[in-house]
C-alpha cells in the first residue's frame, strides 16, 4: 500500500512538472521577453515560467532524459493542438481583468455625488466611461435609457473620460459641476442632444439643464472637479482600456457601443455571478 501511494504521488508530481514545462514552452510564445526586462505591472515573463518548470522538475526527481522526453511530448501536443494557447490566453486575460477590477472596484462604483442614474440600491452596477465628443457614446444614450426603464434594479455610474479633444475636458468639467447641483443627467442628455461639445453647445446645455451658471462656472475650474477627471483617467490606465464608450458591468470590461440585447445579456451575466 505504501509503495502504491509513493508511486501515485510520483505520477502526480511528474504530471505537475509536465504542466510546468507546458507553461514554460507556451511562455516562449506568449511572453517573449528577455529575462533582464520586467514589463510594467510585474507581468510574468518566459524566464519566470522556466524557473517554475525547473523547480517542478527538481521536485519530481526527473532526470535530464525524462525532462527532455516530457518537453518533446508537450511541444508536440502544443503544435498539434495550438488552440490551447488561445484558450490559455483568454483565461489569463480574464484573470488579470478580475484582479485589476478588484483593486479599484470600491472607487469605481462610488460615483461623484450626483453623477448617477437608475436605482442606487440596484443589484447590478454599470459604470460607463464616455466622452461628450464621442459619437458612439451619443448613440449609446437611448439604449441605456431603454435599459434603465426596463430594468429597475440597475445602478448607472457616470464616469467622465475626456480623451478626444480640449472641449471634451471642458464639457466633462461642466458635467461634474452639473452633478454637484443635482442636474447631471439633465446636462448630460442636453449636451448629447446638441451634437459636438463645443463652447456654444456646452453653454446651451447648461441653460437647458437649468444650472446656476455662475456657480457651475466657478466649480468647473475648481481643484475638486479637476481631480475627479484625473481619477477617472488614472482608473482607465489601471484597468487597461483606452477608448469610449467603455462599460464595466460586474467583472466584464466592454469597449464600444452596445445594442440593447447585448447590454441585457451583460447585466444578466453579472447578476448571475453576484
Amino acid at each position: 500500500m505504501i509503495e502504491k501511494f509513493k508511486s501515485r504521488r510520483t505520477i502526480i508530481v511528474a504530471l505537475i512538472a509536465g504542466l510546468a514545462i507546458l507553461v514554460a514552452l507556451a511562455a516562449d510564445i506568449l511572453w517573449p521577453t528577455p529575462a533582464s526586462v520586467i514589463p510594467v505591472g510585474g507581468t510574468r515573463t518566459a524566464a519566470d515560467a522556466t524557473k517554475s518548470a525547473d523547480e517542478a522538475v527538481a521536485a519530481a526527481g526527473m532526470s535530464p532524459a525524462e525532462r527532455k522526453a516530457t518537453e518533446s511530448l508537450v511541444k508536440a501536443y502544443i503544435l498539434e493542438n495550438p488552440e490551447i494557447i488561445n484558450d490559455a490566453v483568454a483565461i489569463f486575460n480574464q484573470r488579470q481583468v478580475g484582479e485589476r477590477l478588484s483593486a479599484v472596484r470600491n472607487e469605481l462604483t462610488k460615483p461623484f455625488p450626483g453623477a448617477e442614474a437608475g436605482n442606487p440600491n440596484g443589484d447590478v452596477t454599470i459604470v460607463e466611461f464616455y466622452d461628450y465628443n464621442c459619437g458612439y457614446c451619443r448613440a449609446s444614450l437611448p439604449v441605456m435609457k431603454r435599459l434603465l426603464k426596463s430594468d429597475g434594479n440597475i445602478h448607472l455610474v457616470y464616469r467622465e473620460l475626456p480623451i478626444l479633444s480640449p472641449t471634451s475636458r471642458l464639457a466633462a468639467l461642466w458635467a461634474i459641476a452639473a452633478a454637484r447641483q443635482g442636474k447631471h443627467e439633465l446636462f448630460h442628455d442636453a449636451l448629447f442632444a446638441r451634437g459636438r461639445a463645443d463652447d456654444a453647445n456646452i453653454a446651451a446645455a447648461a441653460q437647458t439643464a437649468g444650472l446656476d451658471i455662475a456657480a457651475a462656472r466657478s466649480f468647473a475650474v475648481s481643484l475638486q472637479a479637476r481631480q475627479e477627471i484625473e481619477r477617472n483617467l488614472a482608473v482607465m490606465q489601471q484597468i487597461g482600456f483606452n477608448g469610449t464608450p467603455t462599460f464595466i458591468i460586474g467583472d466584464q470590461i466592454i469597449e464600444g457601443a452596445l445594442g440593447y440585447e447585448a447590454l441585457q445579456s451583460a447585466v444578466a451575466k453579472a447578476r448571475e455571478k453576484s
Side-chain angles (χ1 to χ4, degrees):
M1 179 66 71
I2 293 175
E3 290 302 319
K4 182 183 288 187
F5 175 77
K6 288 183 177 178
S7 177
R8 185 176 299 171
R9 181 178 180 279
T10 300
I11 292 172
I12 291 172
V13 174
L15 285 173
I16 293 172
L19 288 172
I21 291 171
L22 169 60
V23 172
L25 290 171
D28 287 332
I29 300 171
L30 298 177
W31 309 299
T33 310
S36 60
V37 178
I38 304 298
V40 174
T43 302
R44 185 176 171 86
T45 66
D48 297 326
T50 299
K51 181 181 178 182
S52 295
D54 291 340
E55 292 171 352
V57 166
M62 296 175 69
S63 68
E66 288 171 332
R67 174 173 181 159
K68 186 174 181 180
T70 303
E71 288 179 345
S72 296
L73 287 171
V74 170
K75 186 173 183 178
Y77 184 81
I78 292 175
L79 293 175
E80 291 172 9
N81 302 275
E83 65 275 6
I84 67 170
I85 299 297
N86 290 332
D87 294 341
V89 170
I91 293 171
F92 175 75
N93 287 339
Q94 185 177 11
R95 190 172 299 164
Q96 285 216 317
V97 164
E99 291 173 356
R100 293 196 298 268
L101 286 178
S102 294
V104 298
R105 188 170 300 282
N106 289 339
E107 179 181 358
L108 190 66
T109 57
K110 183 179 180 181
F112 183 87
E116 59 186 320
N119 181 357
N121 298 313
D123 64 344
V124 172
T125 296
I126 297 177
V127 181
E128 180 182 0
F129 289 85
Y130 58 90
D131 184 305
Y132 283 109
N133 280 312
C134 167
Y136 293 108
C137 300
R138 187 179 305 112
S140 297
L141 180 61
V143 180
M144 186 61 71
K145 292 283 187 184
R146 181 184 172 190
L147 181 68
L148 293 179
K149 186 176 181 180
S150 66
D151 188 332
N153 216 13
I154 293 175
H155 181 211
L156 175 62
V157 173
Y158 293 109
R159 290 285 175 200
E160 321 293 335
L161 195 68
I163 58 177
L164 295 179
S165 74
T167 58
S168 294
R169 186 177 182 89
L170 179 62
L173 290 167
W174 273 81
I176 294 170
R180 185 175 174 83
Q181 296 184 26
K183 297 180 178 180
H184 183 280
E185 194 168 8
L186 291 171
F187 176 84
H188 181 82
D189 294 354
L191 184 51
F192 269 136
R194 299 192 68 86
R196 286 196 60 79
D198 55 25
D199 291 346
N201 284 338
I202 292 170
Q207 291 286 351
T208 300
L211 299 188
D212 178 329
I213 302 300
R217 181 178 291 112
S218 175
F219 189 75
V221 297
S222 70
L223 177 62
Q224 187 178 355
R226 296 197 305 272
Q227 285 178 333
E228 175 64 14
I229 298 296
E230 296 308 319
R231 271 194 296 269
N232 291 343
L233 291 168
V235 167
M236 174 190 73
Q237 294 176 343
Q238 187 170 352
I239 294 175
F241 65 90
N242 54 19
T244 56
T246 291
F247 302 90
I248 312 296
I249 308 175
D251 62 357
Q252 306 161 82
I253 300 177
I254 307 170
E255 298 186 62
L258 291 178
Y260 178 71
E261 289 75 17
L263 269 175
Q264 272 191 319
S265 177
V267 167
K269 184 177 179 181
R271 188 167 280 147
E272 181 181 348
K273 285 193 174 183
S274 66

